[in-house]
Amino acid sequence: MKYILVTGGVISGIGKGIIASSVGTILKSCGLHVTAIKIDPYINIDAGTFSPYEHGEVFVLDDGGEVDLDLGNYERFLDIRLTKDNNLTTGKIYQSVINKERRGDYLGKTVQVVPHITDAIQEWVMKQARISVDDDGVEPQVCVIELGGTVGDIESMPFIEAFRQFQFKVKKENFCNIHVSLVPQPNTTGEQKTKPTQNSVRELRGLGLSPDLIMCRCSSPLETSVKEKISMFCHVEPTQVICVRDVSSVYRVPLLLEDQGVVSYFCQRLSLPIEVRPRKMLTKWKEMADRSARLLEHVSIALVGKYTKLSDSYTSVIKALEHSALAVNHKLEVKYIDSADLEATTLQDEPVKYHEAWQRLCSSHGVLVPGGFGVRGTEGKILAINWARKQNKPFLGVCLGMQLAVCEFARNVLGWEDANSTEFNPESTHPVVIDMPEHNPGQMGGTMRLGKRRTIFKSSTSVLKKLYGGVEYVDERHRHRFEVNPELTHHFEEKGFQFVGQDVEGERMEVIELEDHCYFVGVQYHPEFTSRPIKPSPPYFGLLLAAAGKLQSYLAKGCRLSPRCVCVNNETKPNLTGKSSAQRF
């Protein structure tokens, strides 16, 4: 097993996740089996109780793990399926060590950070690195480990110490450290500054880790003199200083690293069994990057949510939209709309903000209402859904978005004026959305309906079923505590509001569709978590097709894109997977 540790310095959010994913991608393109582990030094057991404004979205895995959004990057880049133990936190480590101490596993010894916590970290990494993450069940050969935060943070000290010891335990030829740093370029001088990187590397070396590669984040290509200066002061060769400049698309990052000889370095440093040059195997990434840069037609989607001040709050949603836009050959424009700005109270308090929000909504080609929690902004979302339904605009509701679509239809078509979710109005006489008692025990963390669950299609004419390739069922990831009230569904279906997908028992409503509408779909699950760059999620793909005016022709052709869209490397790929072309792209 080869281990590649990715650390970061100077600032947080420097791009360690994308770099770790890109390193894994170029190694996987060489035929290696790659897994990934993300370490978060916070004391929370997992990311499930965070506000999206803390660390961005909460990503959900097949096994129900609520984890950091970087695991979403790993899954999308490497096309793998991770588990909750691939996300290691201080809370998990301390909890496991304390549980061992209570059982008497330490035989009466004093339990300390060194060696007990550091040993537990090393054991966790070594155990998890060997668990297969590919469909073929083969044990990984390379494990990319991202250490969150910034070198020097007090929270990450036990992890740095653990890896200082770890490099000797697994031997030098099996361990490599990549340090990601910032090379700022102040506008006043226009000169690239190396001092932050020097200080960061000095601190890391003082803690016992010496970086093998220094990846420098910068706005423009690194000058040769800057590379040589970093090399001189940071104890590495100039070829070990890698420039990771700002690029137009994240798809270009693996290409950027490969062009600078990163794979060749790993081959020599870690004695990797690579025979084929990866450049030939990264063609799909280059093709995607080139296509995204060449797109001329635009499609705009209004994202109506409550966490719109931070785009990381909807990372997977945005990625799913980008994957689908690329598949239909359109350049995506996402219009972020704070749902509270659409409400009447904003018209009274801040009329300019109110009218600007409605202008952005009305000028969009499609509307997306993603998941969320809490009552703030829900009435604005219902207003946006009402507008999309009446104006025959393409609409996709995800999780809470689907539940609010049910509320909107109940109020404005069925005439139930106080229809609501019991999450927001427990006293409603028409509780169209209710809580699931077994998933609401009082304790907040890890108690929702989480992870991969099966949805059975009940209608052969369902648009979404066709987009999924005509399958009888789909397995998608869930994260919710409330569900549509099954006792009231017959009222909706009499008016053309169909519940076309249900769970295995037929008790929980999973998919809604509205008859006589260009595309009005809601899903209780989160399809964005399984979207991939060349296999976009069908619900999002349908939204983009409808927004681009291509959905009906796509369905008429038997759910096949035009040759221009499915051509890769001048070669139309046949459907050998049994999946729809929406899934393959």
Side-chain angles (χ1 to χ4, degrees), residues 61-78:
L61 302 171
D62 279 351
D63 64 356
E66 297 173 286
V67 297
D68 186 84
L69 61 83
D70 276 319
L71 274 81
N73 285 324
Y74 305 155
E75 287 203 343
R76 283 186 288 270
F77 272 72
L78 298 168

Side-chain angles (χ1 to χ4, degrees), residues 9-29:
V10 186
I11 59 171
S12 60
I14 199 170
K16 297 187 298 296
I18 295 295
I19 287 172
S21 302
S22 300
V23 167
T25 299
I26 56 178
L27 292 176
K28 185 167 184 176
S29 73

